[in-house]
Amino acid sequence: MKYLHTMVRARDLDETLDFYCNKLGLVEVKRYESEAGRFTLVFLAAPGDGVGGEAGLGRLSPCVEITWNWDPEDYTGGRNFGHLAYEVENIYETCQRLMDGGVTINRPPSDGHMAFVRSPDGISIELLQSGDSLPPQEPWASMENIGSW
């Protein structure tokens, strides 16, 4: 068995890709549009995952599949989904870059190890420090949790 991808739905494809690609740092590795089905699939990977964009759909691994249905729908229950998790080189620098991009840090990395943010579609994203936790550092150590994560 091989893990392939996790699918999340997007209300606004441009806003969702701005979050995942421009702010979180994922890269688009494949796109598929279905006129008949009225949807677009965009497969994203972390830069270090080493997936190839020319592989078949079943070979893109590990990926986040963003599904955008062209006809408007309301999606609720992003918390029911659980979360996506990514390991980062420096939790503080990653959270600062996200904050600078307008992303709310719902669970700040007060422990130097773990943080949570949410995508524009309400999907929880867990960020974990690679290796050992970093020493507690301000302003992160004193930040309060915001909302749910």
Side-chain angles (χ1 to χ4, degrees), residues 24-101:
L24 197 56
L26 301 185
V27 294
E28 182 175 329
V29 295
K30 189 158 184 92
R31 185 179 287 234
Y32 173 79
E33 294 192 353
S34 172
E35 288 281 337
R38 300 188 47 74
F39 65 87
T40 300
L41 305 179
V42 180
F43 292 85
L44 307 174
D49 284 343
V51 297
E54 298 303 314
L57 288 179
R59 299 174 144 264
L60 291 174
S61 169
C63 284
V64 174
E65 172 194 319
I66 304 297
T67 297
W68 178 57
N69 294 313
W70 300 353
D71 300 317
E73 290 182 49
D74 283 330
Y75 301 113
T76 59
R79 181 82 171 145
N80 298 1
F81 165 81
H83 63 266
L84 303 174
Y86 293 95
E87 183 178 84
V88 299
E89 290 297 317
N90 184 304
I91 192 83
Y92 299 134
E93 289 175 6
T94 300
C95 287
Q96 187 62 58
R97 185 182 80 247
L98 289 166
M99 275 183 39
D100 292 347

